[in-house]
């Protein structure tokens, strides 16, 4: 592998871009293709199909044999609410391989002391998500209990096709949330995608156990999602 | 941006090792048949001292791949390896799951 190509590949992956390394298996030469970048003739259809499917594999084109190694962005978790559950969930999720960030406008909650090493923004989701939008590779977890903070990112997650949307609250709280979001224009189909009450039903009671239930549900959703259609087309 | 998710990422490790002056080989699963434990695209990176990160199987053939990778670091020639219960190397190392994998090993240069 070419050293400069490894650096290019890793830089694109850090920036959450879909990227692939194309290796000529006879000569051992390789090159990096970022999704949306220029691809010459014969390879272009195969490259597009590989980006869509996310599957790596061998292809034979014009008498050459190539390996296309596709790297889709790692799943991302955006947690709305710098609460006790989030402290544990952020650490567990990072261990499980997710990129994690937390958003909470309440500066008393969103302190660096409580979230050492975690990407934390003490500002309103409506402002924060403008700079770093949600995408199909993102899970949104809303745990503040406060509609002023939670409702916007939940609606935004449904609109942008986030693969997981979960909201903390009892069935009663969730019922009134659905009413509000419906008035904001969310369809019944979209609202049905919200996991509320949040997390797998494992009888979790402590904040750490609830974090396990949420993380398990995110993984379950990620691994059983529909991959037949291209991702990100709703954003 | 959380760095943690890349903490055990073989390609990130390869870049770090390269920048600290170590020789690096990269092994990539390029083809699988049957119940192969790791999908095409999986990486194992190896340095000149035999340190490694990542995996190309569930631990069945890593030892053999690491040995081959150190040869590749030595002479710079890429290699194509194949492992499976059905081939002649099965008595030495193989995949107990019954699958077969093809692994491309190359030097980072």
């Amino acid at each position: 592998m070419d050293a400069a190509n490894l650096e290019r590949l890793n830089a694109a992956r850090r920036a959450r871009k879909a990227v692939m390394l194309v290796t000529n298996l006879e000569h051992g030469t390789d090159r990096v293709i970022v999704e949306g970048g220029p691809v010459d003739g014969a390879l272009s259809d195969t490259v597009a199909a590989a980006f869509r499917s996310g599957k790596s594999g061998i292809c034979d084109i014009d008498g050459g044999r190539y390996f296309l190694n596709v790297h889709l962005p790692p799943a991302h978790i955006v947690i709305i609410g710098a609460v006790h559950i989030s402290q544990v969930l952020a650490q567990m999720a990072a261990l499980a391989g997710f990129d994690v960030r937390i958003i909470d406008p309440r500066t008393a909650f969103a302190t660096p002391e409580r979230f050492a090493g975690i990407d934390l923004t003490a500002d309103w989701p409506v402002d924060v998500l403008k700079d770093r939008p949600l995408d199909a590779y993102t899970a949104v977890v809303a745990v503040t209990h406060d509609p002023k903070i939670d409702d916007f990112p939940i609606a935004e997650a449904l609109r942008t096709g986030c693969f997981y949307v979960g909201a903390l609250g009892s069935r009663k709280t969730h019922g009134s949330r659905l009413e509000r979001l419906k008035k904001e224009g969310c369809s019944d189909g979209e609202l049905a995608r919200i996991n509320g009450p949040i997390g797998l039903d494992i009888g979790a009671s402590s904040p750490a156990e609830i974090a396990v239930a949420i993380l398990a549900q995110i993984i379950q959703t990620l691994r059983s999602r529909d991959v037949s259609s291209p991702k990100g087309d709703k954003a | 941006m959380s760095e943690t998710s890349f903490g055990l990422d073989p390609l990130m490790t390869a870049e770090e090792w390269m920048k600290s002056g170590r020789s690096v080989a990269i092994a990539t699963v390029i083809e699988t048949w049957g119940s192969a434990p790791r999908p095409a695209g999986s990486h194992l990176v190896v340095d000149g001292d035999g340190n490694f990160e990542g995996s190309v199987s569930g631990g069945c053939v890593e030892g053999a791949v690491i040995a081959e990778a150190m040869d590749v670091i030595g002479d710079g020639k890429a290699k194509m390896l194949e492992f499976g219960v059905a081939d002649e190397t099965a008595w030495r190392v193989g995949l107990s799951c019954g699958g077969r994998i093809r692994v491309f090993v190359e030097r980072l240069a």
Side-chain angles (χ1 to χ4, degrees):
Chain A
M1 191 185 295
D2 181 82
N5 281 344
L6 175 65
E7 291 188 50
R8 255 176 241 136
L9 183 69
N10 282 345
R13 293 169 68 223
R14 286 191 193 94
R16 286 180 66 76
K17 288 180 182 159
V19 63
M20 87 173 60
L21 187 80
V22 179
T23 304
N24 180 318
L25 291 175
E26 277 132 60
H27 307 111
T29 53
D30 48 58
R31 62 183 163 132
V32 174
I33 299 173
V34 177
E35 190 172 32
V39 188
D40 47 283
L43 265 178
S44 64
D45 287 350
T46 315
V47 164
F51 272 128
R52 272 197 301 274
S53 72
K55 289 247 192 260
S56 301
I58 291 175
C59 70
D60 294 299
I61 288 171
D62 289 346
R65 174 157 267 223
Y66 300 88
F67 180 65
L68 276 54
N69 203 350
V70 189
H71 299 266
L72 298 182
H76 200 154
I77 300 178
V78 175
I79 305 171
I80 308 298
V83 300
H84 199 165
I85 294 171
S86 322
Q87 287 178 290
V88 191
L89 177 58
Q91 292 185 33
M92 284 181 186
L95 280 176
F98 293 92
D99 282 331
V100 183
R101 60 184 173 125
I102 300 177
I103 303 168
D104 194 328
R106 302 168 300 177
T107 49
F109 286 78
T111 65
E113 292 75 25
R114 302 177 68 223
F115 293 93
I118 303 290
D119 182 341
L120 175 70
T121 313
D123 208 342
W124 289 90
V126 65
D127 296 321
V128 180
L129 296 179
K130 263 184 215 142
D131 295 333
R132 288 169 67 187
L134 302 172
D135 60 31
Y137 300 101
T138 301
V140 169
V141 174
V143 288
T144 70
H145 276 117
D146 184 341
K148 290 196 301 299
I149 304 171
D150 282 352
D151 280 8
F152 174 80
I154 292 171
E156 193 67 4
L158 296 174
R159 193 184 68 77
T160 56
C162 287
F163 75 88
Y164 175 90
V165 190
L168 191 69
S170 64
R171 281 182 176 77
K172 190 171 163 233
T173 317
H174 189 56
S176 44
R177 173 185 295 128
L178 295 178
E179 291 298 316
R180 289 193 309 274
L181 290 170
K182 200 163 183 174
K183 280 183 196 148
E184 294 296 317
C186 293
S187 71
D188 288 338
E190 285 175 330
L191 293 176
R193 294 192 51 233
I194 304 174
N195 292 282
I198 197 168
L200 291 185
D201 186 5
I202 56 171
S205 66
S206 70
E209 288 176 3
I210 295 168
V212 169
I214 295 171
L215 186 58
Q217 191 171 46
I218 290 173
I219 293 169
Q220 182 186 51
T221 309
L222 178 67
R223 295 304 172 203
S224 58
R225 76 193 192 283
D226 177 17
V227 292
S228 60
S229 62
K231 292 293 168 252
D233 53 342
K234 288 173 85 179
Chain B
M1 184 73 58
S2 165
E3 290 296 316
T4 315
S5 65
F6 288 122
L8 291 173
D9 182 298
L11 290 183
M12 296 292 172
T13 303
E15 188 178 336
E16 274 170 37
W17 286 357
M18 174 184 80
K19 285 179 173 165
S20 61
R22 290 151 82 169
S23 305
V24 180
I26 298 177
T28 308
V29 177
I30 61 159
E31 211 167 2
T32 68
W33 299 265
S35 57
R38 299 280 286 134
S42 303
H43 291 292
L44 174 72
V45 301
V46 181
D47 77 0
D49 296 324
N51 297 302
F52 65 96
E53 185 65 65
S55 73
V56 292
S57 76
C60 318
V61 303
E62 268 71 9
V65 174
I66 290 164
E68 298 279 1
M70 291 177 76
D71 288 351
V72 168
I73 288 174
D75 66 15
K77 283 189 200 137
K79 282 187 185 181
M80 193 70 81
L81 311 174
E82 200 176 318
F83 299 96
V85 290
D87 73 19
E88 68 274 16
T89 64
W91 59 272
R92 195 158 48 92
V93 291
L95 300 172
S96 54
C97 52
R100 269 199 299 151
I101 59 171
R102 189 172 287 160
V103 179
F104 184 63
V105 188
E106 60 188 320
R107 190 165 70 176
L108 181 61

